[in-house]
Amino acid sequence: MWSPGQGSGTGIILIPLAVLVFTKQPLVTANTRSLFQQPANTNALATERRGAEGAAASAQGKPGWATSGHNDKTLMVGSFRSGSGSTGCMHHNNRTRRSLTDSGPRQQPRNLAVPGKPAILSSLRDQLVGNPSYRDTILHPLRHLLKNNQQWSQATRREEPEFFLKLSKQQSPEYLWIGCADSRVPANEIVGLLPGELFVHRNVANVVVHTDLNCLSVLQYAVEILKVKHIIVCGHYGCGGVQAALENQQLGLIDNWLRHIQDVREKHHTLVDLFQQKERIDLLCELNVLEQVIHVCQTTIVRDAWRSGQQLSVNGWVYGLRDGLVHDLGISVIHPGEIAEVYHSALTNIAQRDVE
């Protein structure tokens, strides 16, 4: 430990937190006392007033102001039991604080009710109770979905009576689809697969983040439990998430998620700047798929699968909303040793191809 007599440098004395909490003596020295002192007249008035309040409270049998016994002006701000059974307290010289052990009256919490909210809820309740058709109006759009489901189930069973029975017993898909949550990109229909033939994970802009436990859980289950043979990262042209990231739109919480796509944009800004603004969105869609494929390859889940000899490929596609066709970006990795080569080859193809 450094002492004043050692060296000419500046010394730093580290005081454990336990010393601050459990010491019985004030830690305020003569040199530092001025940091905590208030004007004498203010201190005296505050001490006199609070001392009178404490005396009055004691006379009435009510909790009052606690003092430390070391100094009448040094009051206890917190009381703790030390290991020896004695009570330790933290002191602030010339400061008067309410004891944390005081069980006296406390200030009531503020009313956080939103003005007008009870009236709104009351109005809605009256509409629901007094007008049953109001509920029907709200829920009516869901009824045609249930009707569609019945028709779909009946049509499927007519074509293959045992379909749902076999499907209920197990699922054994060979493909994991990591796609965008866009409602215009239905995974199974795009590639003509039935339920049970495609394991699907979707999020905004088909992003794979190494800290996203949702995506990683799907990936781990698909690779290690279902033993899928192919992973497909599929973006789509005209992606709203990609456009928002490219144009720095402020949409709220989702901006944090889209930050990952902005990282892709900044990584390839030299290439992106070569294209016209209307072409940059679709170009960034392709670059985003390329980067997400590499992210999948870099997960411990895929690396462990390859290390164990499991057959597994990771591929990158982009779906066209205008023609319904899937465009293969030439990104297919089947071994960790070829990641760099496939990446640079695919990046070259993206830079040279015509963006739709």
Side-chain angles (χ1 to χ4, degrees):
M1 178 181 293
W2 177 88
S3 63
Q6 295 178 348
S8 58
T10 301
I12 298 175
I13 301 177
L14 302 177
I15 301 177
L17 179 60
V19 175
L20 293 174
V21 176
F22 298 111
T23 179
K24 294 183 179 180
Q25 299 300 328
L27 296 178
V28 181
T29 65
N31 294 332
T32 60
R33 191 182 308 277
S34 60
L35 297 175
F36 300 94
Q37 286 181 338
Q38 299 175 350
N41 58 345
T42 304
N43 239 3
L45 291 175
T47 304
E48 181 179 356
R49 178 175 59 81
R50 291 190 173 109
E53 292 175 357
S58 298
Q60 299 177 12
K62 298 179 180 180
W65 296 90
T67 60
S68 65
H70 172 71
N71 190 319
D72 289 340
K73 294 182 180 181
T74 304
L75 302 186
M76 178 167 60
V77 300
S79 173
F80 306 89
R81 286 292 176 182
S82 63
S84 61
S86 61
T87 301
C89 58
M90 183 184 299
H91 298 78
H92 283 255
N93 196 28
N94 293 327
R95 287 290 182 92
T96 304
R97 298 292 180 88
R98 188 81 177 188
S99 170
L100 295 180
T101 58
D102 185 5
S103 58
R106 300 183 183 276
Q107 183 178 2
Q108 295 298 323
R110 295 178 300 170
N111 185 5
L112 300 180
V114 178
K117 185 175 181 180
I120 295 175
L121 294 178
S122 177
S123 175
L124 178 60
R125 182 179 65 251
D126 293 342
Q127 292 185 60
L128 292 175
V129 174
N131 185 11
S133 62
Y134 182 75
R135 172 182 290 273
D136 294 338
T137 301
I138 295 177
L139 300 180
H140 178 72
L142 298 177
R143 294 181 179 176
H144 79 279
L145 298 182
L146 297 175
K147 184 177 181 180
N148 290 348
N149 168 256
Q150 295 175 356
Q151 296 174 350
W152 171 77
S153 175
Q154 294 172 358
T156 302
R157 282 181 290 178
R158 281 196 300 267
E159 295 178 4
E160 188 176 349
E162 301 296 322
F163 175 78
F164 292 108
L165 180 61
K166 292 186 294 184
L167 189 63
S168 64
K169 293 181 179 180
Q170 66 174 356
Q171 64 167 335
S172 55
E174 294 187 1
Y175 315 95
L176 167 61
W177 178 281
I178 301 178
C180 182
D182 194 301
S183 61
R184 299 168 294 177
V185 190
N188 286 69
E189 289 84 347
I190 286 175
V191 289
L193 293 179
L194 296 173
E197 297 180 338
L198 186 68
F199 201 58
V200 178
H201 174 77
R202 301 172 69 176
N203 59 47
V204 175
N206 44 272
V207 176
V208 179
V209 184
H210 294 296
T211 55
D212 181 8
L213 295 183
N214 189 343
C215 181
L216 293 181
S217 297
V218 172
L219 180 61
Q220 184 266 339
Y221 188 83
V223 173
E224 298 182 6
I225 307 301
L226 298 177
K227 302 294 183 182
V228 298
K229 297 179 180 179
H230 307 281
I231 300 173
I232 302 167
V233 178
C234 186
H236 67 95
Y237 295 118
C239 179
V242 172
Q243 180 177 357
L246 179 65
E247 299 175 352
N248 293 315
Q249 299 179 16
Q250 296 183 358
L251 304 176
L253 178 63
I254 195 176
D255 295 344
N256 300 279
W257 180 258
L258 298 180
R259 176 69 246 181
H260 299 293
I261 303 177
Q262 291 176 329
D263 291 340
V264 175
R265 179 198 64 188
E266 294 176 3
K267 180 178 181 180
H268 300 283
H269 69 91
T270 302
L271 175 59
V272 173
D273 291 343
L274 295 176
F275 287 75
Q276 298 296 325
Q277 181 63 28
K278 63 180 181 180
E279 298 176 324
R280 291 177 182 176
I281 298 175
D282 289 345
L283 174 64
L284 187 54
C285 289
E286 296 181 346
L287 293 173
N288 181 51
V289 168
L290 171 61
E291 295 297 333
Q292 306 315 318
V293 166
I294 301 304
H295 290 172
V296 173
C297 294
Q298 291 173 338
T299 62
T300 57
I301 301 165
V302 173
R303 288 161 55 191
D304 289 344
W306 281 335
R307 188 180 299 112
S308 65
Q310 182 175 342
Q311 177 184 338
L312 184 65
S313 71
V314 185
N315 311 269
W317 297 351
V318 180
Y319 173 72
L321 296 175
R322 300 185 185 99
D323 55 16
L325 296 177
V326 172
H327 300 259
D328 186 356
L329 297 180
I331 310 169
S332 295
V333 183
I334 62 174
H335 187 273
E338 63 177 12
I339 293 178
E341 179 182 354
V342 171
Y343 177 85
H344 291 294
S345 176
L347 182 58
T348 301
N349 292 336
I350 290 175
Q352 294 177 348
R353 65 180 295 154
D354 293 330
V355 181
E356 75 161 18

